[in-house]
Each structure stands twice: as structure tokens, then as C-alpha cells.
Short mmCIF file of all heavy atoms in Angstrom, two decimals:
data_model
loop_
_atom_site.label_atom_id
_atom_site.label_comp_id
_atom_site.label_asym_id
_atom_site.label_seq_id
_atom_site.Cartn_x
_atom_site.Cartn_y
_atom_site.Cartn_z
N GLY R 21 0.79 -1.20 0.01
CA GLY R 21 0.03 0.01 0.02
C GLY R 21 0.86 1.27 0.04
O GLY R 21 2.05 1.19 0.01
N GLY R 22 0.27 2.38 -0.05
CA GLY R 22 0.82 3.64 -0.08
C GLY R 22 1.23 4.22 1.29
O GLY R 22 1.04 3.47 2.32
N GLU R 23 1.55 5.42 1.34
CA GLU R 23 2.01 6.09 2.59
C GLU R 23 0.84 6.23 3.54
O GLU R 23 1.00 6.37 4.76
CB GLU R 23 2.81 7.24 2.38
CG GLU R 23 4.13 7.02 1.70
CD GLU R 23 4.95 8.26 1.53
OE1 GLU R 23 4.69 9.32 2.25
OE2 GLU R 23 5.83 8.26 0.67
N THR R 24 -0.33 6.48 2.97
CA THR R 24 -1.59 6.86 3.72
C THR R 24 -2.69 5.93 3.27
O THR R 24 -3.73 6.40 2.70
CB THR R 24 -2.00 8.30 3.55
OG1 THR R 24 -2.20 8.54 2.23
CG2 THR R 24 -0.86 9.18 4.13
N PRO R 25 -2.59 4.65 3.71
CA PRO R 25 -3.72 3.68 3.28
C PRO R 25 -5.02 4.06 4.01
O PRO R 25 -5.02 4.60 5.01
CB PRO R 25 -3.18 2.34 3.77
CG PRO R 25 -2.27 2.63 4.83
CD PRO R 25 -1.62 4.07 4.47
N ARG R 26 -6.09 3.67 3.32
CA ARG R 26 -7.43 3.87 3.80
C ARG R 26 -7.98 2.65 4.50
O ARG R 26 -8.94 2.69 5.16
CB ARG R 26 -8.39 4.39 2.66
CG ARG R 26 -8.10 5.80 2.16
CD ARG R 26 -9.01 6.27 1.13
NE ARG R 26 -10.30 6.26 1.59
CZ ARG R 26 -11.43 6.09 0.89
NH1 ARG R 26 -11.33 5.93 -0.39
NH2 ARG R 26 -12.66 6.16 1.41
N MET R 27 -7.28 1.48 4.19
CA MET R 27 -7.82 0.27 4.68
C MET R 27 -6.61 -0.67 4.98
O MET R 27 -5.64 -0.66 4.31
CB MET R 27 -8.61 -0.48 3.59
CG MET R 27 -9.15 -1.77 4.03
SD MET R 27 -10.17 -2.47 2.67
CE MET R 27 -10.60 -4.05 3.37
N LEU R 28 -6.73 -1.39 6.16
CA LEU R 28 -5.80 -2.48 6.55
C LEU R 28 -6.42 -3.76 6.27
O LEU R 28 -7.56 -4.01 6.84
CB LEU R 28 -5.41 -2.24 7.99
CG LEU R 28 -4.60 -3.43 8.59
CD1 LEU R 28 -3.20 -3.52 7.97
CD2 LEU R 28 -4.48 -3.26 10.16
N ALA R 29 -5.80 -4.68 5.59
CA ALA R 29 -6.33 -6.03 5.36
C ALA R 29 -5.31 -7.04 5.88
O ALA R 29 -4.18 -7.03 5.46
CB ALA R 29 -6.54 -6.21 3.78
N VAL R 30 -5.79 -7.73 6.83
CA VAL R 30 -4.88 -8.83 7.38
C VAL R 30 -5.34 -10.10 6.68
O VAL R 30 -6.51 -10.59 6.78
CB VAL R 30 -5.01 -9.04 8.88
CG1 VAL R 30 -4.20 -10.13 9.45
CG2 VAL R 30 -4.81 -7.73 9.59
N VAL R 31 -4.40 -10.67 5.90
CA VAL R 31 -4.81 -11.82 5.06
C VAL R 31 -4.20 -13.18 5.62
O VAL R 31 -3.33 -13.17 6.50
CB VAL R 31 -4.40 -11.63 3.60
CG1 VAL R 31 -5.07 -10.33 3.01
CG2 VAL R 31 -2.86 -11.36 3.54
N ASP R 32 -4.54 -14.27 4.98
CA ASP R 32 -4.05 -15.51 5.32
C ASP R 32 -2.52 -15.56 5.31
O ASP R 32 -1.85 -14.74 4.70
CB ASP R 32 -4.54 -16.56 4.37
CG ASP R 32 -6.02 -16.86 4.42
OD1 ASP R 32 -6.62 -16.57 5.39
OD2 ASP R 32 -6.50 -17.51 3.47
N PRO R 33 -1.95 -16.53 6.05
CA PRO R 33 -0.48 -16.63 5.98
C PRO R 33 -0.01 -16.78 4.50
O PRO R 33 -0.83 -17.36 3.70
CB PRO R 33 -0.20 -17.95 6.74
CG PRO R 33 -1.36 -18.00 7.68
CD PRO R 33 -2.59 -17.50 6.92
N PRO R 34 1.12 -16.32 4.16
CA PRO R 34 1.46 -16.54 2.73
C PRO R 34 1.62 -17.95 2.31
O PRO R 34 2.08 -18.76 3.09
CB PRO R 34 2.90 -15.77 2.72
CG PRO R 34 3.26 -15.49 4.18
CD PRO R 34 2.11 -15.64 4.97
N SER R 35 1.24 -18.18 1.11
CA SER R 35 1.42 -19.41 0.52
C SER R 35 2.80 -19.62 -0.02
O SER R 35 3.58 -18.62 -0.16
CB SER R 35 0.38 -19.60 -0.73
OG SER R 35 0.85 -18.81 -1.71
N PRO R 36 3.25 -20.85 -0.35
CA PRO R 36 4.56 -21.02 -0.97
C PRO R 36 4.66 -20.16 -2.22
O PRO R 36 5.76 -19.64 -2.53
CB PRO R 36 4.59 -22.55 -1.27
CG PRO R 36 3.74 -23.05 -0.18
CD PRO R 36 2.61 -22.18 -0.04
N GLY R 37 3.59 -20.00 -3.02
CA GLY R 37 3.59 -19.17 -4.23
C GLY R 37 3.84 -17.73 -3.88
O GLY R 37 4.52 -16.99 -4.67
N ASP R 38 3.26 -17.24 -2.77
CA ASP R 38 3.41 -15.87 -2.28
C ASP R 38 4.90 -15.62 -1.93
O ASP R 38 5.48 -14.67 -2.32
CB ASP R 38 2.61 -15.46 -1.08
CG ASP R 38 1.09 -15.53 -1.41
OD1 ASP R 38 0.70 -15.39 -2.59
OD2 ASP R 38 0.34 -15.67 -0.35
N ASP R 39 5.47 -16.59 -1.25
CA ASP R 39 6.89 -16.50 -0.84
C ASP R 39 7.78 -16.50 -2.13
O ASP R 39 8.66 -15.69 -2.19
CB ASP R 39 7.31 -17.66 0.03
CG ASP R 39 7.00 -17.48 1.44
OD1 ASP R 39 6.56 -16.37 1.82
OD2 ASP R 39 7.08 -18.43 2.28
N ALA R 40 7.46 -17.28 -3.13
CA ALA R 40 8.20 -17.35 -4.31
C ALA R 40 8.13 -16.04 -5.10
O ALA R 40 9.11 -15.50 -5.67
CB ALA R 40 7.78 -18.51 -5.19
N ALA R 41 6.84 -15.49 -5.16
CA ALA R 41 6.58 -14.24 -5.84
C ALA R 41 7.16 -12.98 -5.05
O ALA R 41 7.41 -11.90 -5.72
CB ALA R 41 5.06 -14.09 -6.07
N GLY R 42 7.31 -13.09 -3.71
CA GLY R 42 7.86 -12.03 -2.99
C GLY R 42 6.83 -11.03 -2.55
O GLY R 42 7.14 -9.92 -2.02
N PHE R 43 5.52 -11.40 -2.62
CA PHE R 43 4.42 -10.49 -2.12
C PHE R 43 3.23 -11.21 -1.75
O PHE R 43 2.99 -12.39 -2.30
CB PHE R 43 4.18 -9.44 -3.16
CG PHE R 43 3.70 -9.80 -4.47
CD1 PHE R 43 2.38 -10.10 -4.82
CD2 PHE R 43 4.65 -10.05 -5.49
CE1 PHE R 43 1.99 -10.47 -6.10
CE2 PHE R 43 4.24 -10.49 -6.78
CZ PHE R 43 2.92 -10.74 -7.06
N LEU R 44 2.38 -10.72 -0.88
CA LEU R 44 1.17 -11.43 -0.52
C LEU R 44 0.14 -11.40 -1.58
O LEU R 44 0.00 -10.48 -2.38
CB LEU R 44 0.63 -10.66 0.75
CG LEU R 44 1.38 -10.76 1.96
CD1 LEU R 44 0.76 -9.78 3.07
CD2 LEU R 44 1.29 -12.23 2.53
N MET R 45 -0.80 -12.35 -1.52
CA MET R 45 -1.96 -12.36 -2.40
C MET R 45 -1.52 -12.48 -3.87
O MET R 45 -2.14 -11.72 -4.67
CB MET R 45 -2.84 -11.15 -2.17
CG MET R 45 -3.36 -10.94 -0.70
SD MET R 45 -4.50 -12.21 -0.17
CE MET R 45 -5.95 -11.77 -1.08
N SER R 46 -0.65 -13.31 -4.18
CA SER R 46 -0.20 -13.52 -5.54
C SER R 46 -1.24 -14.52 -6.17
O SER R 46 -1.97 -15.20 -5.52
CB SER R 46 1.10 -14.12 -5.65
OG SER R 46 1.23 -15.41 -5.05
N GLY R 47 -1.28 -14.62 -7.49
CA GLY R 47 -2.11 -15.54 -8.22
C GLY R 47 -3.63 -15.10 -8.14
O GLY R 47 -4.03 -14.03 -7.98
N PRO R 48 -4.44 -16.16 -8.20
CA PRO R 48 -5.94 -15.96 -8.27
C PRO R 48 -6.48 -15.16 -6.98
O PRO R 48 -7.34 -14.35 -7.15
CB PRO R 48 -6.53 -17.38 -8.27
CG PRO R 48 -5.49 -18.26 -8.94
CD PRO R 48 -4.14 -17.57 -8.47
N ALA R 49 -5.92 -15.50 -5.84
CA ALA R 49 -6.37 -14.80 -4.71
C ALA R 49 -6.12 -13.26 -4.75
O ALA R 49 -6.92 -12.48 -4.46
CB ALA R 49 -5.66 -15.26 -3.38
N GLY R 50 -4.94 -12.88 -5.30
CA GLY R 50 -4.59 -11.50 -5.54
C GLY R 50 -5.51 -10.76 -6.51
O GLY R 50 -5.98 -9.66 -6.34
N GLU R 51 -5.85 -11.58 -7.62
CA GLU R 51 -6.82 -11.05 -8.58
C GLU R 51 -8.15 -10.81 -7.98
O GLU R 51 -8.79 -9.68 -8.24
CB GLU R 51 -6.97 -12.05 -9.82
CG GLU R 51 -5.64 -12.13 -10.60
CD GLU R 51 -5.58 -13.21 -11.59
OE1 GLU R 51 -6.75 -13.70 -11.94
OE2 GLU R 51 -4.58 -13.66 -12.05
N MET R 52 -8.63 -11.72 -7.15
CA MET R 52 -9.92 -11.52 -6.52
C MET R 52 -9.88 -10.42 -5.55
O MET R 52 -10.83 -9.55 -5.53
CB MET R 52 -10.32 -12.87 -5.70
CG MET R 52 -11.50 -12.68 -4.85
SD MET R 52 -13.04 -13.02 -5.43
CE MET R 52 -13.03 -14.77 -5.80
N ALA R 53 -8.81 -10.21 -4.80
CA ALA R 53 -8.66 -9.16 -3.84
C ALA R 53 -8.65 -7.81 -4.57
O ALA R 53 -9.37 -6.82 -4.16
CB ALA R 53 -7.37 -9.27 -3.00
N THR R 54 -7.88 -7.69 -5.71
CA THR R 54 -7.96 -6.46 -6.50
C THR R 54 -9.30 -6.12 -6.92
O THR R 54 -9.65 -4.91 -6.85
CB THR R 54 -6.99 -6.68 -7.69
OG1 THR R 54 -5.67 -6.92 -7.16
CG2 THR R 54 -6.95 -5.42 -8.52
N LYS R 55 -10.13 -7.03 -7.41
CA LYS R 55 -11.47 -6.78 -7.83
C LYS R 55 -12.36 -6.34 -6.69
O LYS R 55 -13.11 -5.47 -6.76
CB LYS R 55 -12.04 -8.08 -8.48
CG LYS R 55 -11.45 -8.36 -9.89
CD LYS R 55 -12.01 -9.62 -10.45
CE LYS R 55 -11.38 -10.01 -11.68
NZ LYS R 55 -11.86 -11.21 -12.20
N LEU R 56 -12.15 -7.00 -5.51
CA LEU R 56 -12.97 -6.66 -4.32
C LEU R 56 -12.64 -5.19 -3.91
O LEU R 56 -13.46 -4.43 -3.61
CB LEU R 56 -12.55 -7.60 -3.12
CG LEU R 56 -13.19 -7.20 -1.83
CD1 LEU R 56 -14.71 -7.44 -1.82
CD2 LEU R 56 -12.57 -8.06 -0.72
N PHE R 57 -11.32 -4.82 -3.82
CA PHE R 57 -10.92 -3.51 -3.47
C PHE R 57 -11.43 -2.49 -4.46
O PHE R 57 -11.86 -1.36 -4.11
CB PHE R 57 -9.45 -3.43 -3.28
CG PHE R 57 -8.97 -4.35 -2.19
CD1 PHE R 57 -7.68 -4.92 -2.26
CD2 PHE R 57 -9.66 -4.49 -1.06
CE1 PHE R 57 -7.21 -5.76 -1.34
CE2 PHE R 57 -9.15 -5.31 -0.02
CZ PHE R 57 -7.91 -5.95 -0.13
N ALA R 58 -11.43 -2.78 -5.70
CA ALA R 58 -11.84 -1.98 -6.83
C ALA R 58 -13.40 -1.62 -6.69
O ALA R 58 -13.83 -0.60 -6.86
CB ALA R 58 -11.54 -2.42 -8.18
N ALA R 59 -14.17 -2.76 -6.27
CA ALA R 59 -15.56 -2.59 -6.01
C ALA R 59 -15.87 -1.64 -4.91
O ALA R 59 -16.88 -1.01 -4.84
CB ALA R 59 -16.26 -3.89 -5.84
N MET R 60 -14.88 -1.61 -3.94
CA MET R 60 -15.05 -0.66 -2.83
C MET R 60 -14.40 0.72 -3.17
O MET R 60 -14.25 1.51 -2.29
CB MET R 60 -14.27 -1.24 -1.64
CG MET R 60 -14.81 -2.62 -1.13
SD MET R 60 -13.78 -3.49 0.00
CE MET R 60 -13.75 -2.41 1.43
N LYS R 61 -14.04 0.89 -4.46
CA LYS R 61 -13.49 2.20 -4.92
C LYS R 61 -12.14 2.47 -4.23
O LYS R 61 -11.78 3.55 -3.94
CB LYS R 61 -14.47 3.33 -4.69
CG LYS R 61 -15.80 3.09 -5.35
CD LYS R 61 -16.18 3.95 -6.50
CE LYS R 61 -17.53 3.86 -7.00
NZ LYS R 61 -17.79 2.76 -7.82
N LEU R 62 -11.33 1.40 -4.06
CA LEU R 62 -10.02 1.58 -3.42
C LEU R 62 -9.00 1.11 -4.47
O LEU R 62 -9.17 0.00 -5.03
CB LEU R 62 -9.89 0.76 -2.24
CG LEU R 62 -10.73 1.18 -0.99
CD1 LEU R 62 -10.69 0.07 0.10
CD2 LEU R 62 -10.38 2.41 -0.46
N THR R 63 -7.90 1.84 -4.59
CA THR R 63 -6.76 1.51 -5.39
C THR R 63 -5.82 0.62 -4.56
O THR R 63 -5.83 0.71 -3.41
CB THR R 63 -6.00 2.71 -5.91
OG1 THR R 63 -5.46 3.41 -4.83
CG2 THR R 63 -6.98 3.62 -6.70
N PRO R 64 -4.99 -0.07 -5.27
CA PRO R 64 -3.98 -0.89 -4.46
C PRO R 64 -3.16 0.01 -3.47
O PRO R 64 -2.79 -0.34 -2.42
CB PRO R 64 -3.02 -1.48 -5.52
CG PRO R 64 -3.95 -1.64 -6.65
CD PRO R 64 -4.89 -0.45 -6.59
N ALA R 65 -2.89 1.29 -3.82
CA ALA R 65 -2.05 2.18 -2.95
C ALA R 65 -2.92 2.55 -1.71
O ALA R 65 -2.29 3.03 -0.74
CB ALA R 65 -1.62 3.38 -3.72
N GLN R 66 -4.22 2.37 -1.70
CA GLN R 66 -4.97 2.77 -0.60
C GLN R 66 -5.32 1.64 0.39
O GLN R 66 -5.95 1.72 1.40
CB GLN R 66 -6.32 3.28 -1.11
CG GLN R 66 -6.28 4.56 -1.86
CD GLN R 66 -7.57 5.05 -2.44
OE1 GLN R 66 -8.19 4.27 -3.09
NE2 GLN R 66 -7.90 6.21 -2.12
N VAL R 67 -4.69 0.38 0.01
CA VAL R 67 -4.89 -0.75 0.90
C VAL R 67 -3.59 -1.27 1.40
O VAL R 67 -2.69 -1.53 0.60
CB VAL R 67 -5.58 -1.85 0.08
CG1 VAL R 67 -5.81 -3.11 1.02
CG2 VAL R 67 -6.93 -1.41 -0.50
N TYR R 68 -3.43 -1.38 2.71
CA TYR R 68 -2.18 -1.91 3.28
C TYR R 68 -2.48 -3.42 3.60
O TYR R 68 -3.38 -3.70 4.35
CB TYR R 68 -1.82 -1.21 4.54
CG TYR R 68 -0.48 -1.64 5.09
CD1 TYR R 68 0.69 -1.07 4.69
CD2 TYR R 68 -0.45 -2.71 6.04
CE1 TYR R 68 1.88 -1.55 5.24
CE2 TYR R 68 0.76 -3.18 6.50
CZ TYR R 68 1.95 -2.54 6.11
OH TYR R 68 3.09 -3.03 6.61
N LEU R 69 -1.67 -4.29 2.99
CA LEU R 69 -1.90 -5.74 3.18
C LEU R 69 -0.79 -6.24 4.14
O LEU R 69 0.38 -5.80 4.04
CB LEU R 69 -1.65 -6.56 1.90
CG LEU R 69 -2.71 -6.47 0.82
CD1 LEU R 69 -2.32 -7.32 -0.38
CD2 LEU R 69 -4.08 -6.90 1.36
N THR R 70 -1.20 -7.03 5.14
CA THR R 70 -0.32 -7.71 6.01
C THR R 70 -0.70 -9.09 6.28
O THR R 70 -1.92 -9.37 6.22
CB THR R 70 -0.16 -6.89 7.34
OG1 THR R 70 0.97 -7.45 8.14
CG2 THR R 70 -1.43 -6.94 8.15
N GLY R 71 0.23 -9.99 6.33
CA GLY R 71 -0.10 -11.33 6.58
C GLY R 71 -0.39 -11.71 8.00
O GLY R 71 0.22 -11.05 8.93
N ALA R 72 -1.08 -12.74 8.25
CA ALA R 72 -1.33 -13.15 9.64
C ALA R 72 -0.05 -13.74 10.34
O ALA R 72 0.10 -13.51 11.49
CB ALA R 72 -2.41 -14.21 9.64
N VAL R 73 0.86 -14.17 9.54
CA VAL R 73 2.24 -14.56 9.95
C VAL R 73 3.18 -14.07 8.90
O VAL R 73 2.80 -13.74 7.78
CB VAL R 73 2.38 -16.07 10.23
CG1 VAL R 73 1.52 -16.62 11.35
CG2 VAL R 73 2.15 -16.87 8.94
N LYS R 74 4.48 -13.94 9.30
CA LYS R 74 5.46 -13.31 8.46
C LYS R 74 5.74 -14.14 7.21
O LYS R 74 5.95 -13.59 6.14
CB LYS R 74 6.73 -13.15 9.25
CG LYS R 74 7.82 -12.38 8.44
CD LYS R 74 9.02 -12.06 9.30
CE LYS R 74 10.12 -11.38 8.46
NZ LYS R 74 11.33 -11.12 9.16
N CYS R 75 5.92 -15.43 7.38
CA CYS R 75 6.24 -16.29 6.12
C CYS R 75 5.52 -17.58 6.13
O CYS R 75 4.90 -17.96 7.22
CB CYS R 75 7.75 -16.45 6.05
SG CYS R 75 8.46 -17.24 7.54
N ALA R 76 5.50 -18.23 5.05
CA ALA R 76 4.78 -19.51 4.86
C ALA R 76 5.41 -20.53 5.86
O ALA R 76 6.60 -20.64 5.91
CB ALA R 76 4.88 -20.02 3.48
N PRO R 77 4.55 -21.38 6.58
CA PRO R 77 5.02 -22.40 7.33
C PRO R 77 5.87 -23.37 6.56
O PRO R 77 5.61 -23.57 5.40
CB PRO R 77 3.80 -23.05 8.00
CG PRO R 77 2.78 -21.96 7.89
CD PRO R 77 3.16 -21.23 6.65
N THR R 78 6.88 -24.00 7.12
CA THR R 78 7.70 -24.95 6.46
C THR R 78 6.93 -26.08 5.92
O THR R 78 5.92 -26.61 6.44
CB THR R 78 8.72 -25.59 7.47
OG1 THR R 78 9.44 -24.44 8.14
CG2 THR R 78 9.71 -26.46 6.85
N GLY R 79 7.27 -26.42 4.67
CA GLY R 79 6.66 -27.57 3.96
C GLY R 79 5.20 -27.26 3.50
O GLY R 79 4.48 -28.19 3.11
N GLY R 80 4.78 -25.98 3.57
CA GLY R 80 3.42 -25.71 3.06
C GLY R 80 2.29 -26.04 4.03
O GLY R 80 1.16 -26.06 3.68
N ALA R 81 2.80 -26.43 5.34
CA ALA R 81 1.76 -26.81 6.35
C ALA R 81 0.89 -25.53 6.69
O ALA R 81 1.28 -24.40 6.53
CB ALA R 81 2.45 -27.26 7.60
N ASP R 82 -0.24 -25.76 7.30
CA ASP R 82 -1.05 -24.69 7.77
C ASP R 82 -0.46 -24.05 9.00
O ASP R 82 0.37 -24.77 9.83
CB ASP R 82 -2.45 -25.23 8.18
CG ASP R 82 -3.26 -25.67 7.06
OD1 ASP R 82 -3.07 -25.10 5.90
OD2 ASP R 82 -4.23 -26.55 7.21
N ALA R 83 -0.65 -22.77 9.19
CA ALA R 83 -0.12 -22.06 10.37
C ALA R 83 -0.74 -22.62 11.63
O ALA R 83 -1.96 -22.90 11.68
CB ALA R 83 -0.30 -20.61 10.32
N THR R 84 0.06 -22.83 12.68
CA THR R 84 -0.46 -23.26 14.00
C THR R 84 -1.14 -22.11 14.79
O THR R 84 -0.84 -20.92 14.42
CB THR R 84 0.69 -23.88 14.83
OG1 THR R 84 1.56 -22.79 15.20
CG2 THR R 84 1.33 -25.01 14.11
N THR R 85 -1.89 -22.35 15.77
CA THR R 85 -2.53 -21.40 16.52
C THR R 85 -1.44 -20.47 17.17
O THR R 85 -1.58 -19.19 17.12
CB THR R 85 -3.43 -22.02 17.65
OG1 THR R 85 -4.38 -22.78 17.07
CG2 THR R 85 -3.94 -20.88 18.51
N MET R 86 -0.28 -21.09 17.59
CA MET R 86 0.78 -20.27 18.20
C MET R 86 1.43 -19.29 17.22
O MET R 86 1.83 -18.23 17.58
CB MET R 86 1.78 -21.19 18.89
CG MET R 86 1.33 -21.91 20.12
SD MET R 86 0.74 -20.82 21.39
CE MET R 86 2.24 -19.92 21.81
N GLN R 87 1.60 -19.78 15.97
CA GLN R 87 2.10 -18.86 14.93
C GLN R 87 1.16 -17.64 14.61
O GLN R 87 1.64 -16.63 14.28
CB GLN R 87 2.45 -19.68 13.69
CG GLN R 87 3.54 -20.63 13.80
CD GLN R 87 3.63 -21.56 12.58
OE1 GLN R 87 2.66 -22.01 12.06
NE2 GLN R 87 4.87 -21.74 12.11
N LEU R 88 -0.11 -17.91 14.80
CA LEU R 88 -1.05 -16.80 14.50
C LEU R 88 -1.19 -15.84 15.65
O LEU R 88 -1.77 -14.79 15.45
CB LEU R 88 -2.40 -17.42 14.20
CG LEU R 88 -2.44 -18.22 12.83
CD1 LEU R 88 -3.73 -18.94 12.70
CD2 LEU R 88 -2.14 -17.35 11.68
N LEU R 89 -0.77 -16.21 16.83
CA LEU R 89 -0.92 -15.38 18.07
C LEU R 89 0.09 -14.30 18.11
O LEU R 89 1.13 -14.26 17.86
CB LEU R 89 -1.00 -16.11 19.33
CG LEU R 89 -2.19 -17.05 19.48
CD1 LEU R 89 -2.08 -17.88 20.82
CD2 LEU R 89 -3.42 -16.22 19.46
#
């Protein structure tokens, strides 16, 4: 997002694809999010994305409760 976002979105932990791409919400999930934000009249610069955890869990496993806290 930009320097003065209008919305904070906390999204799922990054997928292995997100880690490989180097950003959150890559692929189909990102396309859907972009359409959702556009429907809300928000540009990507107006939305700050952050992951529920910093990086994808090892081996593509689901994040544990402790990782999410």
C-alpha cells in the first residue's frame, strides 16, 4: 500500500507461491482481492496488506495457533 492507506487488510499466511513471488496475495487470490478493493473504490495504494504470519510455514503446512498469536 501507499503511505496513507485507507484500509488495513490482514490476510491468510503467505502461500509457498506468495513466498516465491515475494508478495502477499499472488495469483488468483490477488486477482480476487484487487477486484474486491476496486468494487470498494479503493486503489492498491489505498490498501495496506499484512499477513497473519510473516512467512509460509515450512513444507506448506497450515499455520499453527501459536504462529497466529
Side-chain angles (χ1 to χ4, degrees):
E23 292 181 23
T24 56
R26 294 183 56 208
M27 178 179 175
L28 169 67
V30 180
V31 299
D32 289 343
S35 69
D38 293 339
D39 278 349
F43 58 90
L44 291 171
M45 305 289 289
S46 64
E51 293 171 17
M52 168 90 67
T54 299
K55 289 178 184 177
L56 173 70
F57 299 142
M60 297 167 63
K61 308 246 188 280
L62 294 170
T63 66
Q66 293 174 309
V67 180
Y68 184 89
L69 290 178
T70 188
V73 294
K74 183 177 178 181
C75 57
T78 305
D82 289 336
T84 66
T85 301
M86 289 304 295
Q87 289 171 318
L88 294 172
L89 294 178

